Amino acid sequence: MALATYALLCFGSLFSIVDPFAALPVFLALVGAQPPEAQRRTALRAAVTLLVLLLTFGLAGTLIFKFFGITLSAFKIAGGIVLFGLGLEMMRAKDSDLRSTEAERTEAETKEDVGVIPLGIPLLSGPGAIATTMVLVGKAEGPAQHAAIFMAIGAVALITFLVLRSAPVVARVLGRTGINLIGRIMGLILAALAMQFILDGIREAFPKIIG
């Protein structure tokens, strides 16, 4: 796969699964009443948490596979199934428990600092984002493509910070309908990506049966 194609795949995949626009309602519910400076600090902590977690799993992905004896093809199939379910829920404009459960959202309302939990983890960098990162790292060929996935993670984290920092303005411009529309488009992209992961995993697991 060409470097430019792989880089676009990484950015598009990660941006679709992180989907900072879907986090806007939760972000505003938790910190919307706080001063702008406090909202900016929370947005920064959430974005940094996203960056650190995905970079960690991206760097340690191969070691995790070896430690547990998991093949990349098996992880692609399992990750694809998880992402497909999340994509379907996004297309139905539903809050997925894969991102955060109702209990976690309720508990977060009593916390003073929500930037790390639940915004950074698991709302932005939940199981779906982690699985996508590890699959993409497994697909990388050579140092250039490995660098591309880490740059994509950085770009997504930066955009996430900018979106959350401007949450009141973005939410007012888009409205709930606009946010749901973006979520449905991201869900469709994510579902298609998930199916590609599953097909790639099956093809790699059974190369003699599926050419």
Side-chain angles (χ1 to χ4, degrees):
M1 184 184 298
L3 177 60
T5 302
Y6 179 77
L8 288 174
L9 171 66
C10 291
F11 177 78
S13 303
L14 289 172
F15 188 76
S16 297
I17 185 64
V18 171
D19 190 7
F21 295 101
L24 287 178
V26 177
F27 180 84
L28 289 173
L30 295 176
V31 300
Q34 296 181 4
E37 183 61 25
Q39 292 185 30
R40 189 193 69 82
R41 288 196 299 267
T42 300
L44 180 60
R45 281 193 290 270
V48 170
T49 300
L50 164 69
L51 176 67
V52 171
L53 191 69
L54 295 190
L55 286 178
T56 299
F57 276 94
L59 292 169
T62 304
L63 296 176
I64 293 174
F65 288 153
K66 290 181 178 179
F67 181 81
F68 288 103
I70 302 172
T71 63
L72 180 58
S73 57
F75 196 84
K76 283 182 178 179
I77 296 171
I81 293 172
V82 172
L83 295 180
F84 188 77
L86 179 56
L88 288 180
E89 293 186 353
M90 290 172 65
M91 283 189 284
R92 295 165 60 193
K94 291 183 62 179
D95 292 328
S96 173
D97 285 346
L98 282 174
R99 287 182 175 271
S100 62
T101 64
E102 183 62 33
E104 289 170 337
R105 289 189 287 269
T106 301
E107 181 183 356
E109 294 176 358
T110 64
K111 293 183 176 181
E112 294 185 1
D113 184 4
V114 296
V116 177
I117 299 173
L119 290 176
I121 307 170
L123 187 62
L124 295 172
S125 51
I130 292 171
T132 301
T133 300
M134 293 176 69
V135 170
L136 290 171
V137 170
K139 291 169 66 73
E141 300 174 355
Q145 290 193 0
H146 278 91
I149 175 64
F150 297 129
M151 290 177 64
I153 292 173
V156 170
L158 176 60
I159 294 174
T160 297
F161 166 67
L162 295 176
V163 170
L164 293 182
R165 186 187 66 174
S166 308
V169 176
V170 175
R172 186 164 57 249
V173 171
L174 293 178
R176 186 67 199 189
T177 301
I179 292 174
N180 287 345
L181 177 60
I182 292 176
R184 288 188 173 99
I185 296 173
M186 296 296 181
L188 179 60
I189 295 173
L190 190 60
L193 176 69
M195 288 304 301
Q196 189 61 58
F197 282 171
I198 293 172
L199 292 174
D200 288 347
I202 293 174
R203 188 179 296 113
E204 292 170 11
F206 306 101
K208 295 183 179 179
I209 299 177
I210 304 175

